[in-house]
Amino acid sequence: EVTEEVTEPEDATPSSPILYKVTDEGGNTVYLLGSIHVGIEQMYPFPDYVMDAYQSADALAVEWDVVAAAKDLGLAMDAAKMMVLTDGTKISDHISPECYERAVEILKENKTYYSALDMYKPVMWYSLISTLAMENAGTSSSLGVDQYLLELAHDEDKTIYEVESIQEQYALLGGLSMELQAVMLEDAVAMYDEPLYGMTIRGMCQAWADGNEEDILAQIDAGEGVVPPEQAALMEEFNTTLEGQRNVNMTQYAKDCLESGETVFYAVGLAHLLDDVNGLVDTLREAGYTVELVQYAS
């Protein structure tokens, strides 16, 4: 796989992302950095306070190791099997003709359509088209926070922990109801065709680089939009499956890291970190841990 190298001009101004230091009564430490799976060049280089925390950590923890997965074709193929329709239907049986026609057009425009894709669930198409939409917006997965940190960790032989795995993530996505998968695909097609989406995703990346928590939360809210009443149940399924329980699991992982005594640099999706229902930051504070904002060392 060809990846885009992060270039750091000599006169580049470091970004200033939000970084939290979590400590328990014994002084054990976990650093929490909200990650974005795509990025823009303005997010780099990372500032000293982030790199110092990373270098001081015994291990890097991420949702799953995207660098290792990209090099393991067998692993990727096993995970992709969870996206295959096994009941004799095709994707066109689960989405509207209009959505199918436009989705095929988008994939063909980007030379990523092949007939076997018709045997895959709508969520697989959602993943492909949402990635293309983000690239259209001028962001790149090769500039994602996870990618950047994992490449550093692999180069340095730093210990890497996976909070989840590619199989777990694919199993969650593949297990969503067909109704929800169809809506997700429709949204991805709309994102691809909507110029304002580019402004939103780039705005999120810029807010991350600026370390503006208020702006980040506003961008998250804008991304969620207004849910039509008829889709309320599907939104509840989405929140429960892909956010709610995962937030609980991710929070427990942070607690386990603290209990282990290792210093861990924990990069987790920004929305999981700052979720106003059971996000990691608020939940860890409420559980009695000290959660401090690491300020930029000027």
Side-chain angles (χ1 to χ4, degrees):
E1 182 182 7
V2 178
T3 58
E4 186 178 322
E5 185 176 349
V6 177
T7 56
E8 299 177 3
E10 291 183 5
D11 59 348
T13 302
S15 58
S16 53
I18 296 171
L19 177 70
Y20 296 95
K21 181 180 180 181
V22 184
T23 52
D24 63 11
E25 292 181 349
N28 296 318
T29 300
V30 165
Y31 290 100
L32 287 177
L33 180 71
S35 68
I36 304 180
H37 304 313
V38 297
I40 55 177
E41 290 187 358
Q42 289 91 325
M43 294 164 64
Y44 302 94
F46 285 174
D48 288 345
Y49 68 91
V50 172
M51 294 311 301
D52 288 346
Y54 167 80
Q55 295 294 351
S56 73
D58 301 306
L60 169 68
V62 293
E63 292 176 34
W64 56 286
D65 189 341
V66 296
V67 171
K71 297 175 181 177
D72 191 336
L73 182 59
L75 181 65
M77 290 179 67
D78 285 344
K81 289 177 183 176
M82 302 177 191
M83 299 292 196
V84 176
L85 290 161
T86 58
D87 59 359
T89 62
K90 296 182 179 181
I91 186 173
S92 55
D93 296 316
H94 301 282
I95 61 177
S96 70
E98 296 79 15
C99 182
Y100 176 74
E101 181 179 352
R102 181 59 187 136
V104 170
E105 286 177 354
I106 291 170
L107 293 175
K108 285 183 175 179
E109 286 168 12
N110 292 276
K111 297 179 171 56
T112 54
Y113 176 78
Y114 51 98
S115 59
L117 274 178
D118 283 21
M119 303 300 146
Y120 281 81
K121 297 176 182 178
V123 73
M124 181 67 164
W125 290 52
Y126 156 81
S127 179
L128 293 170
I129 292 176
S130 59
T131 298
L132 292 170
M134 286 185 278
E135 290 174 354
N136 261 4
T139 65
S140 171
S141 58
S142 65
L143 294 175
V145 174
D146 317 59
Q147 183 83 22
Y148 183 77
L149 290 169
L150 282 163
E151 287 176 357
L152 283 179
H154 279 283
D155 287 345
E156 299 168 359
D157 289 326
K158 196 181 192 78
T159 300
I160 297 170
Y161 295 136
E162 291 184 303
V163 182
E164 301 172 332
S165 68
I166 185 173
Q167 295 98 326
E168 287 178 287
Q169 290 221 348
Y170 273 48
L172 279 175
L173 290 169
L176 296 172
S177 68
M178 283 299 155
E179 293 80 9
L180 176 55
Q181 291 188 38
V183 169
M184 291 170 66
L185 176 54
E186 288 171 1
D187 287 346
V189 168
M191 286 190 301
Y192 185 90
D193 290 331
E194 177 51 70
L196 286 177
Y197 173 71
M199 295 174 60
T200 300
I201 189 62
R202 288 188 64 84
M204 174 65 79
C205 291
Q206 190 62 59
W208 183 96
D210 294 341
N212 187 327
E213 186 171 346
E214 184 177 336
D215 196 12
I216 289 169
L217 292 171
Q219 294 286 352
I220 291 173
D221 289 342
E224 291 177 350
V226 178
V227 180
E230 64 272 15
Q231 292 183 4
L234 295 179
M235 195 66 222
E236 179 64 24
E237 178 190 354
F238 180 91
N239 288 336
T240 300
T241 305
L242 299 182
E243 294 183 3
Q245 186 55 50
R246 292 178 70 211
N247 287 357
V248 172
N249 296 342
M250 290 175 184
T251 301
Q252 184 58 52
Y253 194 89
K255 294 177 181 179
D256 292 343
C257 289
L258 289 163
E259 188 175 336
S260 76
E262 282 190 298
T263 297
V264 177
F265 192 96
Y266 189 1
V268 62
L270 197 55
H272 296 294
L273 202 67
L274 298 176
D275 196 309
D276 58 0
V277 177
N278 57 357
L280 275 71
V281 169
D282 288 345
T283 304
L284 288 168
R285 278 200 180 115
E286 291 165 4
Y289 297 94
T290 300
V291 183
E292 304 169 283
L293 187 63
V294 180
Q295 298 295 333
Y296 182 77
S298 57

